[in-house]
Amino acid sequence: MHGVDGVGARVTLAEVAKEAGVSLPTVSKVLNGRSDVSRATRTRIERLLETHGYRRRNPGAPHSPLVELVFHELDSVWAMEIVRGVESVAQENRATVVLTRSGTRHAPEPDWIEGVLRRRPLGVVLVFSSLPQDVKRRLRSQGIPFVVIDPAGDPDPGVPSVGSANWSGGLAATRHLTDRRHERIAVITGPEDMLCSLARLDGYRSAMTMAGLTIDPRLVRFGDFRVQGGFEHAMDLLAGPDRPTAIFAGSDLQALGVLEAARLRKLRVPQDLSVVGYDDVPLAQWSSPPLTTVHQPLRRMAEEATRMLLGPADPGRADRRIELATHLVVRQSTAPLGGGPGRRPVDAVTAAGPAGAVGSAERDGRGGR
């Protein structure tokens, strides 16, 4: 029972056991991360311990020199950028990266937590939009720090996270097109239940409003960030006589699907259709034509998350949020409508260099949303 801070801890633990309706050894098992306690009992005890303000001095066995990186999928091209970023900082700290695939884009599977408690890594980097309260509570009770790389832009309160300026990215992509006299601009954003998708869509809407353009609801689509989704939406958008002259895709993978749809519809890019992607994954520069896209600093996001994880203990880190700037990278998939110069010069928001993007993100005061 000596693993808990506080004078009179034995008495308090006995009170916790009585309040939870369990024996004192059962409370000890929970404190020491044992798995032979039912989930309901463990949750009840952990909540009571949290209510009583317990902080463990020595939460069990030493940590393994591991950083656990958890995805819901590992087959996306941007996942490799995250892996490279985590690996570079882990190596600086003489740690090994363990990759785990679990759950959905919202949260890992419930049984994942048992494995991580057995492995006892130095910390966990999670690529999810949220974490269940039970997972957060159990990681904290065992002294395992965690950071979320938050693609959804909606971090849980009290969870350290790293994200990017999605609203500014959507604004930059669309202003690039309105600057080039496009008016019928379609958008294929991501899933409707992810705030990053909605933030990029809000940026699109803001840019259209700033240009004095009416948004045709038929040109607003929710995709899945995958090639097939972009392809299917683009095939539909490009089928009619009032097709868009430009499409802003909420991911580079969706933009690749748009390029293929344009080819099948016998439209030339960028002469007949301008296309802008999002993420700036390495293959974007090798598409045909090379893709104009919004650079999301995926590798740097991963590096910052890992530094936050492995850095010195900081009481103010529990709810720290880092939001990195995005910027537009202009390649060959966009052109002015009908030839000639654009309606107005490209400004700081759509500048291809990160310095311009940082300045605009700070000036708009919207935190990238």
Side-chain angles (χ1 to χ4, degrees):
M1 302 304 168
H2 57 277
V4 180
D5 285 344
V7 177
R10 292 176 186 270
V11 175
T12 304
L13 287 178
E15 292 174 350
V16 168
K18 182 178 180 181
E19 190 174 346
V22 300
S23 67
L24 200 57
T26 300
V27 176
S28 180
K29 287 180 181 180
V30 172
L31 284 169
N32 288 287
R34 294 272 295 275
S35 60
D36 53 340
V37 179
S38 72
R39 180 177 298 175
T41 299
R42 180 188 297 109
T43 299
R44 185 165 69 253
I45 293 171
E46 286 173 342
R47 283 176 178 165
L48 288 170
L49 291 170
E50 188 173 18
T51 299
H52 286 275
Y54 282 115
R55 294 294 181 270
R56 296 176 60 80
R57 293 192 195 104
N58 180 17
H63 289 283
S64 301
L66 305 173
V67 173
E68 184 148 348
L69 174 57
V70 191
F71 289 94
H72 76 278
E73 62 178 7
L74 290 170
D75 57 351
S76 64
V77 290
W78 62 262
M80 289 310 301
E81 292 298 291
I82 298 290
V83 172
R84 292 186 182 103
V86 172
E87 279 187 333
S88 67
V89 176
Q91 287 174 359
E92 293 172 3
N93 290 269
R94 299 182 179 180
T96 301
V97 177
V98 175
L99 295 179
T100 302
R101 183 180 180 276
S102 178
T104 69
R105 63 176 178 264
H106 297 291
E109 293 175 357
D111 60 357
W112 163 78
I113 188 66
E114 303 296 342
V116 77
L117 292 181
R118 287 194 300 271
R119 289 185 288 275
R120 292 197 57 77
L122 296 172
V124 183
V125 177
L126 302 112
V127 188
F128 294 97
S129 58
S130 62
L131 283 180
Q133 289 296 328
D134 178 62
V135 169
K136 292 186 285 188
R137 184 164 46 245
R138 296 189 68 187
L139 288 172
R140 285 169 176 153
S141 72
Q142 296 303 305
I144 300 175
F146 57 92
V147 178
V148 170
I149 297 178
D150 177 27
D154 185 27
D156 286 344
V159 175
S161 63
V162 180
S164 66
N166 288 293
W167 180 85
S168 293
L171 179 75
T174 312
R175 286 193 65 177
H176 174 72
L177 297 170
T178 61
D179 285 346
R180 284 148 183 78
R181 296 196 305 272
H182 291 278
E183 297 184 359
R184 284 193 63 75
I185 302 172
V187 59
I188 307 172
T189 189
E192 197 168 1
D193 62 348
M194 294 184 71
L195 283 192
C196 65
S197 306
L198 300 177
R200 293 169 196 177
L201 179 58
D202 284 346
Y204 159 86
R205 287 174 169 149
S206 296
M208 294 289 282
T209 300
M210 290 166 63
L213 299 174
T214 301
I215 299 173
D216 184 343
R218 295 173 297 176
L219 301 185
V220 176
R221 305 296 178 94
F222 288 94
D224 57 5
F225 288 144
R226 297 176 180 271
V227 175
Q228 186 65 28
F231 172 77
E232 292 173 356
H233 281 296
M235 286 295 287
D236 184 50
L237 288 164
L238 300 175
D242 58 346
R243 65 170 181 83
T245 63
I247 296 178
F248 164 39
S251 73
D252 289 342
L253 293 182
Q254 288 185 152
L256 294 179
V258 173
L259 293 178
E260 177 61 12
R263 186 186 70 82
L264 293 180
R265 293 294 186 197
K266 302 189 184 306
L267 296 172
R268 299 167 300 165
V269 176
Q271 295 91 333
D272 303 319
L273 178 73
S274 285
V275 180
V276 179
Y278 202 105
D279 288 329
D280 193 25
V281 296
L283 62 80
Q285 61 184 311
W286 300 108
S287 66
S288 183
L291 188 64
T292 294
T293 184
V294 175
H295 178 81
Q296 180 172 211
L298 294 168
R299 188 178 302 194
R300 189 178 162 212
M301 288 164 63
E303 291 171 348
E304 293 294 340
T306 313
R307 288 191 185 101
M308 193 186 305
L309 190 73
L310 299 178
D314 178 4
R317 192 177 63 190
D319 58 353
R320 185 180 176 193
R321 167 74 172 178
I322 297 176
E323 191 153 277
L324 302 178
T326 54
H327 65 272
L328 190 73
V329 178
V330 180
R331 296 192 179 104
Q332 298 168 32
S333 65
T334 53
L337 181 66
R343 172 163 30 203
R344 57 183 178 272
V346 178
D347 59 17
V349 177
T350 57
V358 171
S360 64
E362 291 173 347
R363 285 196 302 275
D364 64 42
R366 302 213 20 210
R369 299 283 300 282

